[in-house]
Amino acid sequence: MKFNWGTGIVLAFIGFISFIMYFIITMSVDSRYDHELVTEDYYGEELLYQNEIDKLNNAKNLSENISYKTGNEGLTIVFPKNIDIKKVTGKVFLYRPSNKQLDFETAISLSDPYLLIPDKRLVGGRWNIKVDWEYNGQSYLYKETINY
């Protein structure tokens, strides 16, 4: 058999198609590459997204927004100093993109201008923080991605 340009191009296409098929089958079957949606009711959440945008804009208009610090005892979420912490209500949601079982939500109950999430609740790696809070009838939202 004579090897020419046509044979080389056909073999290249066959090799490329084989690689793509191997890649698709491996990603579909192997549980190590299993990625889940952020929420089960994705489309329902999408309809409420404008409320989230409004809350983010409210938070941007604050003179001082929420911040966070990591330390030996855990993750500290610091609220603005110029507010009455007794009037703050809401919840904190920590989302772990790589493992749904590590996600958790906690209510905001402040006696100090900060909220401590203990180190034992957090595993090292990437976390998405979402603080949905209300103060004096106004809703705010703080979102951040951190590596703990």
Side-chain angles (χ1 to χ4, degrees):
M1 179 175 164
K2 190 173 182 182
F3 188 80
N4 57 26
W5 281 100
T7 307
I9 290 173
V10 168
L11 290 175
F13 276 130
I14 290 171
F16 179 73
I17 292 170
S18 299
F19 169 73
I20 295 298
M21 291 304 294
Y22 168 76
F23 184 71
I24 289 171
I25 291 169
T26 301
M27 294 299 285
S28 299
V29 176
D30 196 345
S31 62
R32 290 181 299 161
Y33 303 116
D34 188 24
H35 297 286
E36 301 169 1
L37 290 175
V38 174
T39 180
E40 296 296 326
D41 186 24
Y42 178 77
Y43 295 108
E45 292 282 328
E46 186 66 28
L47 295 174
L48 300 174
Y49 193 64
Q50 184 60 46
N51 293 338
E52 194 169 299
I53 293 170
D54 294 340
K55 290 178 185 179
L56 283 168
N57 287 334
N58 290 342
K60 285 181 185 176
N61 293 332
L62 289 171
S63 60
E64 180 185 359
N65 202 354
I66 291 177
S67 61
Y68 72 92
K69 297 185 284 189
T70 57
N72 293 335
E73 53 281 336
L75 176 70
T76 306
I77 299 172
V78 182
F79 286 82
K81 293 181 183 8
N82 59 352
I83 63 171
D84 182 11
I85 58 172
K86 293 179 177 82
K87 296 181 182 178
V88 174
T89 60
K91 59 185 176 179
V92 177
F93 180 66
L94 275 88
Y95 166 71
R96 178 68 182 226
S98 62
N99 190 345
K100 183 178 180 178
Q101 283 73 33
L102 295 176
D103 297 353
F104 66 94
E105 184 176 303
T106 183
I108 296 173
S109 177
L110 299 175
S111 58
D112 293 315
Y114 60 86
L115 177 69
L116 177 66
I117 304 206
D119 184 54
K120 63 183 176 182
R121 300 270 328 250
L122 300 170
V123 177
R126 180 179 172 209
W127 288 90
N128 293 343
I129 304 171
K130 185 175 179 181
V131 182
D132 190 358
W133 59 293
E134 189 173 314
Y135 176 69
N136 282 340
Q138 187 74 29
S139 296
Y140 302 97
L141 183 66
Y142 175 77
K143 292 170 101 175
E144 190 69 41
T145 300
I146 64 165
N147 285 317
Y148 185 76

